[in-house]
Amino acid sequence: MDAQAEADFREFVANRSSALLKTAVLLCGGDRHTAEDLLQNALIKVAGRWNRIDEPEAYVRQVLYRQQVSRWRLKWPHRELSVAQTPETSTTADAPSAAELRLVMRGALARLTARQRTVLVLRYFEDLPEADVARILGCSVGTVRSTTHRSLVRLRTLAPELAALGPAKAEQQPSQTNSPVEVHP
C-alpha cells in the first residue's frame, strides 16, 4: 500500500469506524468485545485490498456480514442464558424510555441465534430488501422471509415489553423507526 492509500485508509477508519462498530455490535448481539474483533478482522481484510475497492463502506459492511455468517456456520456450541424465573415486566402506565427499550432490545437480540440476529440487523437496521439480504447471506429469499418471521416471533416472546412500541408510538420515536418491533403480523 502506498503512502496516499494508507492515508486514505486511516481517514476512512477514523471517520466511519464508529458507525461500522454499531452494526458489528448488533450483529454480535450486543457483545462489544466480539464486535470489536469482528470489525478489526474486517478492516484487516479490507486494508489488503484498499487500492481495488470502489465503495469502501459498502465493502467493509459486506465483509462484516460474511464474517458473521461464517461464525454462525461453524459448529460452535451456542451459549444461551438460562434463568430460574422470568424477569418481571413493568406494571406502570408510563411508556418505557428509549434507553430502557434499547437495553431490552439488546438483551433480546443477544438471545437470538446468530443467524436470526444477522437477518434482523440486515433487514431492519440496515434497511435492506429481502433480495439483498439473501444475496449477502448466500441463501434464498424464502429462507430470508421464514427466518425473519421466526426471528420476530422469538423476539416478541423474549421481550414482550417491546409490544409497547406499536406503529403509532414508533413514529413518534425516530430513533426506533427501523426497529423490527414495528412489524406486526
Side-chain angles (χ1 to χ4, degrees):
M1 183 182 305
D2 65 352
Q4 181 59 40
E6 184 176 344
D8 291 344
F9 179 72
R10 288 180 184 272
E11 181 181 346
F12 170 78
V13 171
N15 292 334
R16 299 305 303 153
S17 62
S18 64
L20 293 168
L21 182 59
K22 287 178 185 177
T23 299
V25 168
L26 288 172
L27 288 171
C28 294
D31 184 352
R32 186 174 175 93
H33 298 293
T34 304
E36 289 171 348
D37 290 343
L38 183 68
L39 180 57
Q40 182 177 8
N41 289 336
L43 291 173
I44 289 169
K45 288 182 178 186
V46 169
R49 297 175 178 93
W50 186 254
N51 292 331
R52 297 174 281 181
I53 299 173
D54 294 329
E55 295 182 37
E57 185 158 355
Y59 191 87
V60 172
R61 288 181 184 275
Q62 182 80 10
V63 171
L64 281 172
Y65 306 145
R66 293 197 183 253
Q67 282 187 292
Q68 181 63 13
V69 168
S70 295
R71 285 184 59 226
W72 53 258
R73 283 187 176 156
L74 294 175
K75 298 292 183 194
W76 291 344
H78 296 289
R79 290 181 243 149
E80 291 193 19
L81 177 64
S82 299
V83 293
Q85 296 178 343
T86 59
E88 294 181 22
T89 58
S90 176
T91 58
T92 63
D94 297 338
S97 71
E100 290 172 334
L101 288 174
R102 280 193 302 273
L103 289 173
V104 169
M105 179 63 81
R106 180 179 292 161
L109 284 172
R111 294 180 61 199
L112 295 176
T113 66
R115 181 184 190 113
Q116 290 173 326
R117 187 171 47 246
T118 301
V119 168
L120 290 181
V121 168
L122 290 173
R123 284 285 291 129
Y124 298 104
F125 182 74
E126 294 293 327
D127 200 26
L128 295 176
E130 292 168 339
D132 289 351
V133 175
R135 182 183 44 77
I136 289 169
L137 299 179
C139 63
S140 70
V141 173
T143 300
V144 170
R145 288 179 183 156
S146 63
T147 302
T148 301
H149 175 74
R150 285 191 304 272
S151 303
L152 290 174
V153 168
R154 182 147 187 244
L155 190 65
R156 288 184 192 108
T157 302
L158 293 172
E161 56 271 35
L162 293 175
L165 266 188
K169 292 181 182 179
E171 291 171 5
Q172 296 170 357
Q173 298 183 5
S175 65
Q176 300 293 325
T177 56
N178 287 337
S179 171
V181 294
E182 288 183 309
V183 180
H184 295 281

